[in-house]
Amino acid sequence: MSAPEAEHQAGTSHVGADRIRSVLTRLRRVDPRLYVVYVAFLLILVFFSIYLRDDGFTSSQNLLNIVKQTTPITVMAVGLVFVLSAGEIDLSIGSVVALSSLVAALTLRDHGMVLGILAGLGVGVGAGLINGFFTTVLRLPSFLVTLAMLGLIAGLARWVTDLASVAVVNERYANVFGSGSVGPVPSLLIWSAVVVALGWFLFRHTRFGAHVVATGDNTDAARVTGIRVARVKIAVLLLSGTLAALAGLLYAGRLQSATYTLGEQDLLPVIAAVVIGGTRLFGGTGSVVGALVGSLIMGMLNNGLILMGLSASGQMIAQGVILLTAISVTLREPRGS
Amino acid sequence: MAELKPLVQLDRVRKEFGAVVALEEVTLDVYPGEIVALVGDNGAGKSTLVKLIAGVHQPTSGQIVLDGEPVRLSSPSESQRHGIEVVYQDLALANSQPVYMNMFLGRELVRGPLRQLDRPRMAQETRQLLDELDIRIDSPRQTIRDLSGGQRQGVAIGRAVHWAQRLVLMDEPTAALGVQETKRVEEIILRMRDRGRAIVIVSHSLDQVFRISDRICVLRRGRQVGIRATPEVDADEIVSMITGLR
Ligand SMILES: Nc1ncnc2c1ncn2[C@@H]1O[C@H](COP(=O)(O)OP(=O)(O)O)[C@@H](O)[C@H]1O
Ligand SMILES: [Mg+2]
């Protein structure tokens, strides 16, 4: 072995040892937030599988349904991982869903599929840019900015058709965004997979993702090392607005109709999915894959509780209790910080 | 030192904040491989001077000269581009991120057509740097939160050394540290000087100033009282310069 090679070998084994050592350190300081979502997922899956074994919970049809129904939540959750990790929040996503579905359905009816999609997404881009502008240029808390936008956009969604629903009759659109499939794979499943995969890559493997967590972790540190903090914040709000608009398109495709109530109830499950999935509510750490699993948990709960025959009010109470439990495990700060 | 060219020159630099004159007129040349200590009472203008060179503030009048050319350091990135790095008093580290990500914060290494983060290479280069400077940290993959105060300051200094081609500014780098940790950080600072960087360090500890500095620049209420070669003064003289009492 030549000298440079030996040196290279030594270097790698050194880093290998580092990796082992760091795994050991991590194991010693087990942070429940890192694994609780996976354990919870398995526990809930096992519980429903046993308890509801005669009600078809585990049928592939039902499991597929869960994934399909949670697609909009998953898509929004991916966006919110970025926003929360950057130390901001976006409360306007639910109303963006409604307005984008309506705008898409109206444009679709009169001007065709492509313009319909663009118009729907445009709602999210617009909302994201406005949220970003007020949060960075005017330096207002995103909590208040997006709360105001939530009201404003919800109002627009009611106004645009005067509360009327709009049917989506375009079959190609319904195929792509709803009931269709590519071979045996439902298109909604593909949307989930694609958004999660792209989101994971962007978050975990690009400089942008690194700048997002750094911004949420220590804004001043990020700024003095030359990261353009304001741009990062605008970008994450733009991303979450756009993904919320995509969720609106997906609802409109699956239900073949758009209405102002779409997405109204989604903010809580989305935040729950993201936070249970290991994303810190105050910035600095996040997980896209965790958010996916968190979102599937919310879907399973919804589905399982219905199959158990709980009334709507019973479901809400059960969801609340489960959420509180989940949050008290995941939100507790690790000791020594 | 006559044959060396100064790395950074301050020429009658003045800074006002509204009606407050934080710095009256400071003129200072910093040479390669020397440690200049900046001392003075609270409010003397030390941090302000550091921030002017760091590009955080811009002088009201006077010039900052690099390689004989007056420059406008309009932002921290602009200073960084000129090879100037800062170790801040309140550790500018991202606590939930690993050591190697902090080392490369804002300047992450990427590879491939997708420009993916090159985490293994960043970790390995960090490991090398930590070893060279003898900063003792188990693994570059450890989270900042899991380090001691001295180790954190080691990371902050390591980052500055890694990127500074010209000058490292340090604003009370050992203020939050214990005796042992302070000693280790001072060793790191001396090793950094041996690499030919210039260092400007703000310190409240005269003991420390006499242990590591080559020259001492004294400020009092924004005025530059004087510059002394460290071996040629004693603590009493510096104290009287700081306080203005004989
Ligand atoms: N951003 C600022 N705005 C207004 N006044 C400031 C600012 N920064 C520093 N000063 C003032 O300038 C003077 C020098 O402060 P500083 O440089 O922090 O002193 P030191 O670091 O030597 O304690 C003080 O009177 C301080 O109040
Ligand atoms: Mg100070």
Side-chain angles (χ1 to χ4, degrees):
Chain A
M1 197 190 284
S2 68
E5 248 175 60
E7 212 173 279
H8 179 73
Q9 288 289 340
T12 348
S13 74
H14 203 157
V15 170
D18 278 339
R19 208 168 281 160
I20 293 166
R21 225 177 287 148
S22 97
V23 168
L24 288 178
T25 349
R26 262 187 246 165
L27 280 180
R28 240 177 286 134
R29 304 165 189 267
V30 222
D31 180 351
R33 291 176 303 175
L34 288 177
Y35 65 86
V36 74
V37 68
Y38 304 102
V39 174
F41 179 81
L42 286 177
L43 285 179
I44 294 170
L45 185 63
V46 168
F47 172 77
F48 281 140
S49 303
I50 294 169
Y51 193 85
L52 296 171
R53 61 188 173 285
D54 300 328
D55 298 294
F57 179 82
T58 43
S59 74
S60 56
Q61 191 55 45
N62 190 52
L63 292 179
L64 209 54
N65 256 340
I66 294 177
V67 178
K68 284 204 246 174
Q69 275 163 7
T70 49
T71 298
I73 302 288
T74 304
V75 167
M76 282 186 269
V78 170
L80 204 65
V81 168
F82 284 82
V83 180
L84 289 183
S85 298
E88 301 293 335
I89 190 150
D90 187 352
L91 301 175
S92 67
I93 47 177
S95 61
V96 169
V97 167
L99 188 61
S100 97
S101 74
L102 282 163
V103 167
L106 288 171
T107 316
L108 188 66
R109 192 180 63 191
D110 301 336
H111 304 287
M113 176 157 161
V114 174
L115 284 181
I117 295 169
L118 290 178
L121 291 178
V123 168
V125 171
L129 286 177
I130 294 172
N131 285 334
F133 173 80
F134 280 93
T135 304
T136 58
V137 180
L138 301 187
R139 298 182 197 202
L140 299 170
S142 54
F143 178 81
L144 293 177
V145 170
T146 59
L147 187 60
M149 283 296 279
L150 163 72
L152 193 155
I153 297 170
L156 282 177
R158 282 158 174 74
W159 169 79
V160 68
T161 59
D162 204 8
L163 303 188
S165 304
V166 181
V168 173
V169 285
N170 186 321
E171 222 168 273
R172 200 149 55 96
Y173 178 91
N175 270 331
V176 173
F177 289 97
S179 51
S181 57
V182 179
V185 190
S187 52
L188 285 173
L189 190 71
I190 296 176
W191 278 112
S192 270
V194 167
V195 170
V196 168
L198 289 180
W200 168 79
F201 183 80
L202 191 63
F203 189 77
R204 185 71 196 143
H205 291 290
T206 67
R207 295 188 69 201
F208 173 69
H211 294 179
V212 167
V213 284
T215 299
D217 198 340
N218 186 344
T219 310
D220 290 333
R223 194 176 286 124
V224 297
T225 52
I227 293 173
R228 307 200 182 186
V229 173
R231 268 202 215 173
V232 168
K233 292 187 176 183
I234 292 175
V236 294
L237 288 164
L238 184 60
L239 185 65
S240 110
T242 308
L243 286 176
L246 175 59
L249 297 182
L250 293 166
Y251 271 122
R254 179 158 60 88
L255 306 173
Q256 304 207 348
S257 116
T259 174
Y260 69 93
T261 54
L262 289 180
E264 219 172 27
Q265 310 288 331
D266 285 353
L267 184 60
L268 187 64
V270 170
I271 293 182
V274 171
V275 170
I276 293 172
T279 296
R280 196 162 171 272
L281 201 44
F282 311 105
T285 36
S287 166
V288 169
V289 176
L292 166 67
V293 179
S295 165
L296 291 176
I297 288 179
M298 300 312 289
M300 273 197 306
L301 283 177
N302 210 14
N303 180 278
L305 295 177
I306 291 174
L307 288 183
M308 281 169 74
L310 258 69
S311 64
S313 43
Q315 282 175 46
M316 283 176 81
I317 295 169
Q319 275 200 11
V321 171
I322 290 162
L323 254 181
L324 271 181
T325 316
I327 288 171
S328 37
V329 181
T330 54
L331 264 193
R332 273 180 40 231
E333 288 293 298
R335 257 163 294 153
S337 71
Chain B
M1 228 168 250
E3 69 284 350
L4 284 175
K5 287 209 186 92
L7 286 174
V8 177
Q9 296 173 280
L10 303 178
D11 179 18
R12 284 166 295 152
V13 169
R14 179 183 174 88
K15 179 66 185 175
E16 301 166 9
F17 293 105
V20 180
V21 182
L23 281 180
E24 269 180 30
E25 236 180 41
V26 176
T27 298
L28 173 67
D29 292 353
V30 189
Y31 291 87
E34 77 163 339
I35 300 180
V36 176
L38 218 49
V39 301
D41 237 335
N42 277 333
K46 307 180 295 292
S47 294
T48 303
L49 187 57
V50 166
K51 285 174 182 167
L52 286 175
I53 309 174
V56 175
H57 298 316
Q58 286 69 47
T60 311
S61 65
Q63 287 183 328
I64 298 174
V65 179
L66 306 178
D67 302 327
E69 295 284 323
V71 290
R72 214 184 108 70
L73 304 174
S74 52
S75 70
S77 339
E78 193 64 33
S79 271
Q80 285 175 4
R81 255 194 296 284
H82 284 101
I84 298 169
E85 292 287 324
V86 192
V87 179
Y88 288 95
Q89 195 166 1
D90 43 1
L91 311 159
L93 298 175
N95 286 326
S96 305
Q97 314 307 319
V99 171
Y100 72 84
M101 279 307 272
N102 272 280
M103 206 59 94
F104 288 87
L105 206 58
R107 293 173 276 214
E108 300 81 4
L109 303 179
V110 291
R111 67 181 146 92
L114 293 177
R115 297 176 53 74
Q116 304 180 51
L117 291 179
D118 197 344
R119 291 176 187 272
R121 204 171 120 222
M122 287 192 275
Q124 193 184 330
E125 289 193 11
T126 301
R127 172 86 269 170
Q128 270 172 15
L129 183 74
L130 295 176
D131 288 349
E132 273 172 45
L133 291 173
D134 196 19
I135 299 166
R136 290 172 204 166
I137 288 173
D138 284 349
S139 155
R141 291 170 190 272
Q142 265 184 293
T143 311
I144 298 294
R145 201 189 299 291
D146 297 334
L147 303 181
S148 73
Q151 288 176 318
R152 290 181 201 200
Q153 197 55 285
V155 173
I157 293 175
R159 176 170 70 190
V161 181
H162 186 63
W163 296 105
Q165 293 305 313
R166 187 184 296 273
L167 175 74
V168 179
L169 297 162
M170 296 196 252
D171 197 349
E172 304 196 32
T174 59
L177 304 183
V179 179
Q180 278 306 316
E181 290 185 325
T182 297
K183 199 170 148 238
R184 294 203 45 76
V185 167
E186 285 176 7
E187 285 163 13
I188 297 169
I189 294 172
L190 291 173
R191 269 194 293 280
M192 187 156 69
R193 171 183 61 185
D194 298 341
R195 289 175 147 215
R197 307 293 192 275
I199 297 158
V200 171
I201 177 171
V202 174
S203 177
H204 263 130
S205 154
L206 279 193
D207 285 344
Q208 177 170 64
V209 167
F210 277 92
R211 273 197 302 273
I212 63 174
S213 76
D214 300 302
R215 288 192 296 152
I216 305 174
C217 171
V218 184
L219 299 178
R220 184 166 73 234
R221 294 206 217 132
R223 277 189 40 237
Q224 184 175 18
V225 186
I227 304 178
R228 299 282 184 276
T230 309
E232 292 163 20
V233 288
D234 57 24
D236 289 343
E237 185 178 348
I238 295 295
V239 169
S240 68
M241 286 168 81
I242 291 173
T243 56
L245 305 171
R246 284 260 103 209

